Amino acid sequence: MDTFMQAAFEEAEKGLQTGGIPIGSVLVHRDRIIGRGHNRRVQQGNPILHAEMDALANAGRQPVSVYRESTLYTTLSPCAMCTGAILLYQIPRVVIGENRTFLGEEELLRSRGISVEVRNDPDCIRLMSRFIETHPELWGEDIGV
């Protein structure tokens, strides 16, 4: 696991340790993390606080030129909401830890010219698989089932 995916994975672990859903994300600009976050829907009672949204919020206001030169790393395939944010801010590259436990809107990203790399990292798969198995109701709530 490279440095940036490791940072996203550490965010996912933070989410789990604080009673939430183990998904993490980091926004990287010019080989530097400018925003990091994890899914905090449960902890904050906020339905839109997915990991990618948290990382973007924690990056603060950025000019579009920064987003256009950035890469978003996320431990899980992005949902429709997070995909919309990626498209809105014109982030050109998304690196995904895994998409076996949940397949998000990768095809939409690709269709809009976004570079999508799926790693299917065993640690990311294991973390989400265990969570889904032990917390199916919470997971269903997060993805709208």
Side-chain angles (χ1 to χ4, degrees), residues 27-92:
L27 183 64
V28 177
H29 179 253
R30 296 185 179 172
D31 292 322
R32 192 176 121 262
I33 295 173
I34 61 171
R36 56 178 64 230
H38 53 274
N39 186 306
R40 296 188 301 140
R41 288 182 63 255
V42 174
Q43 301 92 318
Q44 298 292 318
N46 183 333
I48 63 170
L49 207 45
H50 284 194
E52 298 90 342
M53 304 298 271
D54 195 33
L56 286 167
N58 290 327
R61 286 180 59 197
Q62 300 293 330
V64 72
S65 60
V66 169
Y67 296 119
R68 287 180 180 160
E69 295 178 344
S70 294
T71 299
L72 184 75
Y73 288 76
T74 181
T75 58
L76 187 65
S77 186
C79 72
M81 176 179 65
C82 296
T83 293
I86 293 163
L87 295 173
L88 177 67
Y89 292 108
Q90 303 174 39
I91 298 167

Side-chain angles (χ1 to χ4, degrees), residues 1-2 4-5 73 93 95-99 117-122 125:
M1 193 178 296
D2 71 34
F4 300 129
M5 187 56 70
Y73 288 76
R93 182 171 179 244
V95 179
I96 299 167
E98 68 104 350
N99 66 1
E117 178 185 334
V118 180
R119 302 233 173 121
N120 278 320
D121 178 86
I125 294 168

Side-chain angles (χ1 to χ4, degrees), residues 13-29:
E13 289 180 316
K14 280 184 195 174
L16 184 62
Q17 291 164 2
T18 57
I21 298 163
I23 304 167
S25 184
V26 295
L27 183 64
V28 177
H29 179 253

